[in-house]
């Protein structure tokens, strides 16, 4: 028996519902010797801003019990560097490329899209409106529905390609942001970014991260993400890309039952780069065992 694993986000067709989470998979080449990139539903690359950036001072990652804290601060090659250095490599694969974009100002988001939009290899934009680790931009736009909406409208005006705002988890009503994304012409939303958090060294009395605070990711945030996806699913008809602590196929299946059309594997890539492929195979096995015809049969089926 075969099952249709494919899903659609706007004009972007993914052959299966599993991508990788931005910032945990480089720009693709870093993982190409470890994973068959053609197996992925999409490759979501590390955040791209308008110019080359260095990110935050070190230490910028810290292992917590069961997860990790990071305050990387969005280092990257900038839009031009990404086009020159990474797009030729990515164009060899038969996989949609979702470019995660960020800006320090609203105009920055528009600028990045203007620079990238002529590139055929770019399939969609994930708009990072939720980075907890940069002083301007990021979550400043993601925790206020007015500026959130204005960034999405601005990006919408610059491209016909699918746009996927990435929502901040630290808001009191995620449904309001999901609805706002829909009203502004987004094609999907992704949930969630890492959760603002902190760890302190009790000998030095200093924070473990040079940035002092960072974002928590990995298994500890999964139940938070599941609830946010479930809340958003009831507020919008947009497809949701769910993420937060996916390590096993069962985690991805749980996200889909909560309402996610697709999922992203993040922190798990650091310990086992083959996680996304394992998740794809496990989701397929589950759908076949349950007698489903397509991924969509599972989405939002929670009895709650
Ligand atoms: C080291 C690191 C870097 C990240 N960089 C980005 C980024 O550039 N843009 C973004 O939107 N999210 C970024 N994230 C957030 C992840 O994409 C994801 O939303 C989050 O980690 C939750 O998923 P996980 O628990 O599976 O890692 C980063 C996460 C980590 C751990």
């Amino acid at each position: 028996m075969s099952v249709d694993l494919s899903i659609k986000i706007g004009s972007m067709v993914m052959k299966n519902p599993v991508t990788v989470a931005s910032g945990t998979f480089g720009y693709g080449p870093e993982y190409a010797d470890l994973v068959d990139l053609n197996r992925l539903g999409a490759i979501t690359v590390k955040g791209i801003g308008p110019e080359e950036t260095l990110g935050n001072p070190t230490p910028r990652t810290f292992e917590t019990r069961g997860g990790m804290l990071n305050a990387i601060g969005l280092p990257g090659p900038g839009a031009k560097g990404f086009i020159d250095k990474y797009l030729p490599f990515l164009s060899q694969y038969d996989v949609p490329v979702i470019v995660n974009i960020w800006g320090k100002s609203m105009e920055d988001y528009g600028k990045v899209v203007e620079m990238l939009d002529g590139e055929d290899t770019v399939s969609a934009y994930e708009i990072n409106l939720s980075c907890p680790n940069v002083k301007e931009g990021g979550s400043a736009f993601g925790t206020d529905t007015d500026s959130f909406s204005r960034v999405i409208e601005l990006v919408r005006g610059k491209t016909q390609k699918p746009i996927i705002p990435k929502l901040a988890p630290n808001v009191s009503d995620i449904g309001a942001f999901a609805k706002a994304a829909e009203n502004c012409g987004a094609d999907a939303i992704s949930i969630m970014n890492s959760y603002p958090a902190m760890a302190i060294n009790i000998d030095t009395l200093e924070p473990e991260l040079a940035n002092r605070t960072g974002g928590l990711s990995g298994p500890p945030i999964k139940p938070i993400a599941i609830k946010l996806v479930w809340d958003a699913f009831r507020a919008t008809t947009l497809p949701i890309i769910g993420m937060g602590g996916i390590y096993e196929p069962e985690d991805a299946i749980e996200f889909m039952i909560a309402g996610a059309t697709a999922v992203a594997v993040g922190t798990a890539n650091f310990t086992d780069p083959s996680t996304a492929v394992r998740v794809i195979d496990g989701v397929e096995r589950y759908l076949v065992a349950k007698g489903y015809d397509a991924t969509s049969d599972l989405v939002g089926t929670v009895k709650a």
Side-chain angles (χ1 to χ4, degrees), residues 54-61 70-75 133 135 208-213:
L54 294 175
N56 287 331
T58 56
R60 44 192 196 180
T61 57
N70 90 82
I72 304 287
L74 301 170
N133 305 321
K135 285 196 183 65
E208 297 283 8
L209 296 172
N211 189 54
R212 295 183 290 188
T213 61

Short mmCIF file of all heavy atoms in Angstrom, two decimals, residues 54-61 70-75 133 135 208-213:
data_model
loop_
_atom_site.label_atom_id
_atom_site.label_comp_id
_atom_site.label_asym_id
_atom_site.label_seq_id
_atom_site.Cartn_x
_atom_site.Cartn_y
_atom_site.Cartn_z
N LEU A 54 28.45 39.01 11.54
CA LEU A 54 29.30 38.09 12.30
C LEU A 54 28.53 37.39 13.43
O LEU A 54 28.99 36.39 13.96
CB LEU A 54 30.48 38.86 12.91
CG LEU A 54 31.48 39.42 11.90
CD1 LEU A 54 32.53 40.27 12.59
CD2 LEU A 54 32.14 38.28 11.13
N GLY A 55 27.42 37.92 13.84
CA GLY A 55 26.68 37.32 14.95
C GLY A 55 27.19 37.80 16.29
O GLY A 55 27.97 38.76 16.37
N ASN A 56 26.77 37.12 17.35
CA ASN A 56 27.11 37.53 18.72
C ASN A 56 28.50 37.03 19.12
O ASN A 56 29.01 36.07 18.54
CB ASN A 56 26.08 36.95 19.70
CG ASN A 56 24.74 37.67 19.60
OD1 ASN A 56 24.70 38.85 19.26
ND2 ASN A 56 23.67 36.98 19.90
N PRO A 57 29.09 37.63 20.18
CA PRO A 57 30.33 37.08 20.73
C PRO A 57 30.11 35.70 21.34
O PRO A 57 28.97 35.33 21.65
CB PRO A 57 30.72 38.08 21.83
CG PRO A 57 29.69 39.13 21.86
CD PRO A 57 28.62 38.83 20.86
N THR A 58 31.19 34.94 21.52
CA THR A 58 31.10 33.60 22.13
C THR A 58 31.30 33.73 23.64
O THR A 58 31.90 34.72 24.09
CB THR A 58 32.16 32.66 21.55
OG1 THR A 58 33.44 33.27 21.73
CG2 THR A 58 31.92 32.41 20.08
N PRO A 59 30.89 32.74 24.46
CA PRO A 59 30.14 31.54 24.07
C PRO A 59 28.70 31.88 23.65
O PRO A 59 28.04 32.71 24.27
CB PRO A 59 30.15 30.69 25.35
CG PRO A 59 30.40 31.65 26.47
CD PRO A 59 31.20 32.77 25.91
N ARG A 60 28.27 31.18 22.59
CA ARG A 60 26.91 31.47 22.12
C ARG A 60 26.02 30.23 22.07
O ARG A 60 24.90 30.30 21.57
CB ARG A 60 26.93 32.23 20.80
CG ARG A 60 27.90 31.75 19.75
CD ARG A 60 27.99 32.81 18.64
NE ARG A 60 28.60 32.29 17.43
CZ ARG A 60 28.78 33.01 16.34
NH1 ARG A 60 28.40 34.26 16.31
NH2 ARG A 60 29.33 32.48 15.28
N THR A 61 26.54 29.11 22.57
CA THR A 61 25.65 27.96 22.79
C THR A 61 25.96 27.38 24.17
O THR A 61 27.08 27.53 24.69
CB THR A 61 25.87 26.83 21.75
OG1 THR A 61 27.24 26.44 21.78
CG2 THR A 61 25.49 27.27 20.36
N ASN A 70 20.84 28.86 22.78
CA ASN A 70 21.74 29.50 21.83
C ASN A 70 21.44 30.98 21.74
O ASN A 70 20.31 31.43 21.94
CB ASN A 70 21.65 28.84 20.44
CG ASN A 70 20.61 29.48 19.54
OD1 ASN A 70 20.88 30.51 18.91
ND2 ASN A 70 19.40 28.93 19.52
N ALA A 71 22.52 31.72 21.47
CA ALA A 71 22.39 33.15 21.17
C ALA A 71 23.40 33.43 20.06
O ALA A 71 24.37 34.15 20.23
CB ALA A 71 22.69 33.99 22.40
N ILE A 72 23.15 32.77 18.94
CA ILE A 72 24.08 32.87 17.81
C ILE A 72 24.09 34.30 17.26
O ILE A 72 25.13 34.83 16.89
CB ILE A 72 23.67 31.87 16.70
CG1 ILE A 72 23.60 30.43 17.24
CG2 ILE A 72 24.61 31.95 15.50
CD1 ILE A 72 24.92 29.78 17.54
N GLY A 73 22.88 34.89 17.20
CA GLY A 73 22.81 36.30 16.79
C GLY A 73 22.84 36.52 15.29
O GLY A 73 23.21 37.59 14.83
N LEU A 74 22.44 35.51 14.53
CA LEU A 74 22.26 35.62 13.08
C LEU A 74 23.50 36.03 12.28
O LEU A 74 23.47 36.99 11.51
CB LEU A 74 21.08 36.57 12.78
CG LEU A 74 19.75 36.12 13.39
CD1 LEU A 74 18.69 37.21 13.26
CD2 LEU A 74 19.26 34.84 12.74
N PRO A 75 24.62 35.29 12.46
CA PRO A 75 25.74 35.51 11.54
C PRO A 75 25.38 34.96 10.17
O PRO A 75 24.55 34.05 10.08
CB PRO A 75 26.86 34.67 12.17
CG PRO A 75 26.16 33.58 12.90
CD PRO A 75 24.84 34.15 13.37
N ASN A 133 17.44 36.56 19.93
CA ASN A 133 18.85 36.86 20.20
C ASN A 133 19.44 38.07 19.49
O ASN A 133 20.65 38.22 19.43
CB ASN A 133 19.71 35.64 19.84
CG ASN A 133 19.22 34.41 20.56
OD1 ASN A 133 18.83 34.51 21.72
ND2 ASN A 133 19.21 33.29 19.87
N LYS A 135 19.20 42.39 19.08
CA LYS A 135 18.63 43.53 19.82
C LYS A 135 17.47 44.18 19.08
O LYS A 135 16.42 44.45 19.62
CB LYS A 135 19.72 44.57 20.10
CG LYS A 135 20.66 44.12 21.20
CD LYS A 135 21.48 45.28 21.73
CE LYS A 135 22.46 44.81 22.78
NZ LYS A 135 23.49 43.89 22.24
N GLU A 208 25.83 31.97 31.28
CA GLU A 208 26.60 31.00 30.47
C GLU A 208 26.80 31.50 29.04
O GLU A 208 27.71 31.05 28.36
CB GLU A 208 25.88 29.64 30.46
CG GLU A 208 25.76 28.98 31.83
CD GLU A 208 27.07 28.35 32.31
OE1 GLU A 208 28.12 28.54 31.67
OE2 GLU A 208 27.02 27.66 33.36
N LEU A 209 25.93 32.37 28.57
CA LEU A 209 26.05 32.91 27.21
C LEU A 209 26.59 34.35 27.27
O LEU A 209 26.17 35.13 28.13
CB LEU A 209 24.68 32.94 26.51
CG LEU A 209 24.01 31.60 26.27
CD1 LEU A 209 22.58 31.82 25.75
CD2 LEU A 209 24.80 30.75 25.27
N ALA A 210 27.48 34.68 26.33
CA ALA A 210 28.01 36.06 26.29
C ALA A 210 26.88 37.07 26.10
O ALA A 210 26.94 38.19 26.61
CB ALA A 210 29.03 36.18 25.17
N ASN A 211 25.85 36.65 25.39
CA ASN A 211 24.69 37.53 25.15
C ASN A 211 23.79 37.64 26.39
O ASN A 211 22.80 38.32 26.38
CB ASN A 211 23.89 36.97 23.98
CG ASN A 211 22.80 37.89 23.48
OD1 ASN A 211 23.07 39.05 23.16
ND2 ASN A 211 21.56 37.41 23.43
N ARG A 212 24.15 36.91 27.44
CA ARG A 212 23.40 36.79 28.70
C ARG A 212 22.15 35.92 28.56
O ARG A 212 21.98 34.98 29.31
CB ARG A 212 23.05 38.16 29.30
CG ARG A 212 24.34 38.90 29.68
CD ARG A 212 24.07 40.20 30.32
NE ARG A 212 23.53 41.14 29.35
CZ ARG A 212 23.33 42.41 29.58
NH1 ARG A 212 23.56 42.92 30.77
NH2 ARG A 212 22.86 43.21 28.63
N THR A 213 21.29 36.23 27.63
CA THR A 213 20.12 35.37 27.43
C THR A 213 20.17 34.76 26.03
O THR A 213 20.92 35.21 25.17
CB THR A 213 18.81 36.17 27.59
OG1 THR A 213 18.80 37.19 26.60
CG2 THR A 213 18.70 36.78 28.98
#
